[in-house]
Amino acid sequence: MPVNPPDRLRLLDAIIEVLGQDRSAAAEPMDSYKARIALSLLAILRRELALAGGLADEERTRLTALLGCEGDAAALSVALCARIRSRTLDIGAPALLAHLRQTTLGKLAIDNPRYSAYLRATGASPSRER
Amino acid sequence: MDRAELATRLAAGYRRRGLGDVTVASLQRLSAGASAETWRFDRVVDGASRTMIVQVFTGEKQFAVALDKRTQGLVQQAAHAAGIATPRIDLVFDSEDGLGEGFVSEFVAGETLGQRIARSPELAAARAVLTAQCAEALADIHRVDLAGLPQLPDQSPAEMVARLRDTHDSFGVHLPVFELAFAWLDDQQPAARPPRLVHGDFRNGNFIVDSRGLVAVLDWEAAHLGDPLEDLGWLCLNAWRFGGIDQPVGGFGQRDELFAAYAAASGVAVDARRVRFWEVYGTLKWGVICQWFGNQFITGEVPEIERAAIGRRVAEVELDLLDLIEGVE
């Protein structure tokens, strides 16, 4: 499961809704606020189209090794949740933590690569942008 | 509510309580927030004018344990009476006011935008003293006599975690990092302590700051009884550091300074592990709140684009949780 909800179709719905509104109202402060969010969601979708397929493949490979079973990334991720919840997997295991970190960094590469903790984790120069 | 009607009812509320023949002047709406509408007006009585703020509940669904506006007003009133720096309450609406749930408090000038408090050059001097002032304000809050407070939620840490778990489960979204955090919280469960007043949302963005530092504490809607260290953990969430990740306290201070100042003000040494429990709990709670907002978009309950965008902020919380659990600083 390379990204969190809402999925790409729902994000497109939100963008279409905002951009489809009467442009004569564009001078309204609320409207430009929504237009800025629409733009940021388009940037997320652009990164998702470029990255999500590869990230899902890598995630599936890691999950297969971690859980010892086959499936797509989403199904294996659900299985991983069950294993953590039932404590049949050691929550301090380095392989688990490494997998979770990789998967999370993948999500942030799509959802917000300017996030402070992402910049710190990827060794990017310290920045106060987010 | 219509402006003229609000003005009439406010003046009537003052008169009925024997608070004088008040004229409500320059009434204007400031914002329609997530759970409340905010207005400001000048309370003119015997020629003396004072700017006031009105908060009225708008009926929109709030997250989990948020207090109703009347109880929130009563908590703020009790806190002010106990000497906490929080805006004085003029009126807490009752059924006779015909204004629903809400309250009127004094306007306090200063900066509330977290981004500016963490970064604006004009507030550099304030930032130098703000961490210690936050610690002192929290110690004062945690000393408030419970006898003067309205009925407030009083849950054990285990109950709080279980409630968060139920909310998260209700979305049907499986997140391994959240499962890890829930398991970690189960393992690190702190022992119960005598309950204190906990502000519940004491963070950069919910207090007023001027050039001399902390002026007033706002937003008591998450107040409850519990472990006072919950407030210290919440204050340190990365979500309110506004990019200043190396300054855990609101983007302006260090944990060591916060803990030392809190110990000095409260007379109680701070158990850093216990604060860490609450910081993980708070981060997870913020993540579930982001999910809750995102879910409002997905279900169509609130079909606004900002709700969709908040759903995609959950990944930020996942990384914050991993950093906390793995001890990455």
Side-chain angles (χ1 to χ4, degrees), chain B residues 9-10 12-13 16-17 70 92-100:
Chain B
R9 289 182 187 264
L10 284 171
R16 184 166 60 81
R17 289 173 177 82
R70 176 173 170 77
V92 176
F93 301 148
D94 60 27
S95 56
E96 276 190 60
D97 288 310
L99 288 163

Side-chain angles (χ1 to χ4, degrees), chain A residues 1 4-6 10 34 48 77 81 85 87 91 101 104 107 111-112 115-118 120 128 130, chain B residues 118-119 165 169 174-176 180 187 238 297-298 304 311-313 315-316 318-320 323 326 329:
Chain A
M1 199 175 61
N4 292 329
R10 301 306 306 271
K34 287 184 180 181
E48 186 170 326
S77 183
C81 285
R85 192 166 184 165
R87 307 304 283 266
I91 66 163
R101 182 163 286 269
T104 302
K107 287 184 188 182
D111 285 343
N112 188 1
Y115 187 55
S116 60
Y118 179 84
R120 181 172 68 184
R128 291 174 74 85
R130 53 187 297 170
Chain B
R119 296 162 68 165
R165 154 69 80 185
D169 283 351
H174 296 84
L175 296 179
L180 175 80
D187 288 351
N238 194 23
F297 172 81
I298 292 167
E304 297 293 338
R312 287 296 185 105
R313 291 193 60 186
E316 300 173 10
E318 290 181 272
L319 184 55
D320 289 341
D323 282 347
E326 296 189 78
E329 290 280 350

Side-chain angles (χ1 to χ4, degrees), chain B residues 63 171 284-295 307 310-314 317:
Chain B
F63 181 79
F171 305 130
L284 184 55
K285 178 178 165 187
W286 171 239
V288 173
I289 291 172
C290 290
Q291 284 194 302
W292 182 76
F293 279 125
N295 195 58
R307 300 291 158 104
I310 293 174
R312 287 296 185 105
R313 291 193 60 186
V314 170
V317 176

Side-chain angles (χ1 to χ4, degrees), chain A residues 39-110:
Chain A
L39 190 62
S40 75
L41 291 185
L42 280 171
I44 287 175
L45 287 168
R46 199 245 168 246
R47 293 189 294 266
E48 186 170 326
L49 285 172
L51 300 173
L55 288 169
D57 288 344
E58 292 169 20
E59 186 179 346
R60 193 186 62 239
T61 303
R62 287 194 305 270
L63 283 166
T64 301
L66 200 60
L67 298 172
C69 55
E70 298 283 337
D72 64 20
L76 290 173
S77 183
V78 172
L80 177 61
C81 285
R83 293 277 299 274
I84 296 171
R85 192 166 184 165
S86 65
R87 307 304 283 266
T88 51
L89 205 64
D90 171 13
I91 66 163
L96 171 66
L97 294 172
H99 162 72
L100 294 177
R101 182 163 286 269
Q102 285 276 291
T103 307
T104 302
L105 291 175
K107 287 184 188 182
L108 278 170
I110 293 169

Side-chain angles (χ1 to χ4, degrees), chain B residues 49-210:
Chain B
S49 178
R50 181 86 173 75
T51 302
M52 307 299 294
I53 297 289
V54 189
Q55 286 193 60
V56 203
F57 181 56
T58 48
E60 193 174 320
K61 213 169 109 190
Q62 296 185 82
F63 181 79
V65 289
L67 300 174
D68 64 80
K69 281 283 154 207
R70 176 173 170 77
T71 309
Q72 183 185 339
L74 292 172
V75 173
Q76 186 169 331
Q77 199 164 45
H80 183 270
I84 311 291
T86 190
R88 199 183 66 77
I89 299 273
D90 247 10
L91 307 176
V92 176
F93 301 148
D94 60 27
S95 56
E96 276 190 60
D97 288 310
L99 288 163
E101 289 171 11
F103 55 88
V104 176
S105 59
E106 286 183 348
F107 169 79
V108 175
E111 185 59 74
T112 56
L113 281 179
Q115 181 104 343
R116 289 205 201 126
I117 290 169
R119 296 162 68 165
S120 155
E122 294 87 66
L123 292 173
R127 281 193 292 278
V129 292
L130 197 49
T131 301
Q133 291 173 334
C134 285
E136 286 152 17
L138 285 172
D140 287 344
I141 290 168
H142 300 154
R143 256 197 298 270
V144 169
D145 184 1
L146 304 189
L149 294 168
Q151 181 85 34
L152 293 175
D154 180 7
Q155 295 183 319
S156 68
E159 288 168 331
M160 292 167 75
V161 172
R163 182 162 185 153
L164 202 56
R165 154 69 80 185
D166 288 344
T167 309
H168 167 67
D169 283 351
S170 74
F171 305 130
V173 176
H174 296 84
L175 296 179
V177 174
F178 279 24
E179 291 300 331
L180 175 80
F182 277 116
W184 187 92
L185 288 170
D186 282 343
D187 288 351
Q188 306 287 324
Q189 205 79 237
R193 288 200 338 194
R196 301 291 187 90
L197 173 62
V198 175
H199 181 283
D201 199 7
F202 190 98
R203 63 169 175 89
N204 188 2
N206 280 345
F207 39 71
I208 300 175
V209 170
D210 72 9

